[in-house]
Amino acid sequence: MVNARDGTAMIYLSILALAMLAPALSSAQVRKTLEVYVIDVEGGNSTLLVSPSGESLLIDTGNLAPGATRDAGRILDAIKDAGLQHIDHLIITHWHGDHFGGLAELASKIEIREFIDHGPNAQPGEAADAFLQNIYPKLYANRKHMVVKPGDKISMTGLDVRVVTSAGQTIKTPLPGAGKPNPYCASFKPADNNAEDPQSVGVFISFGKFRTAHLGDLTRNKEFELMCPNNRLGAVDVLLGLHHGQASSNSEVLVYALHPRVAIMNDGTRKGGEPEVMKTVHSSPGLEDLWQLHFSLLSGQEYTVPGMFIANTADDAPSAMPIAAIPAPGPGAPPPPAHNGKAYWIKLSAQQDGAFTVTNARNGFSKTYQPGM
């Protein structure tokens, strides 16, 4: 028999236990969306995805020194905003300094549990080769390390993350629902490229009815291999990255065939946003909006989007902004002014029914895209 005092104690303990569980329960209930942070690393790449379960995937880590500390700090700001204590999966798409450069600095500040890449560097260079020989093996020594091939899956609760390109290879079997003839293949024009960009790890991500893809710096010729004669990916709601908006990528066989409703470009002030790419993206069938990390002087006002869709403005902005685009800086050109102050990301929040919202952290402008359009 339980006396009144014992009964009161039991009730108190039950209430206390429920109170302690409440934060965990509310956290699980509140996060119902896939969150994607497209982080400003000054024309490099760093994209953070967080599943509704709280599992994280970081794609690339920004620039080499002297930008490494700056970029790692910006990535950590996004990680903190997402409420993360560690990174579950990290993909380095390829061994260019604007994609792996901040990794060592970042790994010294937060735990990374799995390292994913395409394997050896295909474009010998002092910085990449020294990193792969002396630093990278130490970072993953006591962690999981996976060299992926097309067709592999990255295990994330609630998401379907499929590797569609890696080490110069593409998937051979279309994804579910894809595989239709690509009408844009007939007019394809190949382009020159370096050796490492085509090695990029590219992923296609599904969350319920929502679809997005990040293909690293995959080049036009590899886009053709992936998308012709049949479209092996199908369509996406949001196309991420776009190789900074550079013309060695972003052919019509990819952009038009993916039929994105929204594109988010990881360009810099004087890197990417090239007129040829902007023409392709702006004319892509079904495109509703292009969002950019930076205003690009290379596209000028001629090909840009309204400022509400641009997260960061021009560094060392001229007193009068020309309408025309400027030529891309050639070899030996001085570097652009350092943008070491406040940087802003673009955030995507997607729901399982296919609806999604994109928000510009600089001005708070937000736009919601309904499913099934």
Side-chain angles (χ1 to χ4, degrees), residues 98-285:
D98 56 337
H99 290 256
F100 76 84
L103 176 51
E105 180 72 20
L106 182 67
S108 72
K109 299 293 193 299
I110 192 167
E111 177 188 4
I112 301 172
R113 295 184 172 178
E114 180 179 32
F115 295 78
I116 301 166
D117 58 69
H118 71 68
N121 179 29
Q123 183 181 348
E126 182 178 352
D129 293 340
F131 177 82
L132 287 171
Q133 181 176 354
N134 303 320
I135 300 174
Y136 191 52
K138 296 176 183 177
L139 298 180
Y140 67 70
N142 297 313
R143 305 295 179 187
K144 186 176 180 182
H145 175 223
M146 182 165 61
V147 175
V148 290
K149 61 184 183 302
D152 286 347
K153 286 190 176 184
I154 298 171
S155 179
M156 291 186 70
T157 302
L159 303 183
D160 184 351
V161 184
R162 304 197 184 203
V163 177
V164 295
T165 66
S166 182
Q169 302 298 312
T170 66
I171 56 169
K172 305 305 178 187
T173 302
L175 298 179
K180 295 180 180 180
N182 186 342
Y184 306 106
C185 296
S187 59
F188 174 76
K189 296 178 181 179
D192 294 333
N193 54 252
N194 57 51
E196 183 60 16
D197 281 344
Q199 308 296 310
S200 291
V201 176
V203 291
F204 190 97
I205 300 162
S206 304
F207 172 55
K209 295 181 179 180
F210 177 80
R211 305 284 185 269
T212 187
H214 194 302
L215 301 178
D217 286 359
L218 195 73
T219 53
R220 296 172 67 95
N221 300 343
K222 288 299 174 183
E223 292 171 354
F224 181 84
E225 291 182 26
L226 177 64
M227 303 296 286
C228 292
N230 295 330
N231 174 355
R232 299 189 188 106
L233 299 187
V236 297
D237 297 288
V238 178
L239 179 57
L240 296 168
L242 292 93
H243 190 176
H244 323 297
Q246 297 193 63
S248 58
S249 303
N250 303 297
S251 63
E252 293 179 2
V253 300
L254 179 82
V255 178
Y256 282 17
L258 286 178
H259 206 266
R261 296 176 61 190
V262 165
I264 304 177
M265 182 181 293
N266 59 7
D267 63 317
T269 301
R270 304 183 192 183
K271 180 179 180 181
E274 297 173 9
E276 180 180 346
V277 174
M278 300 298 274
K279 291 176 187 177
T280 299
V281 175
H282 283 308
S283 62
S284 180

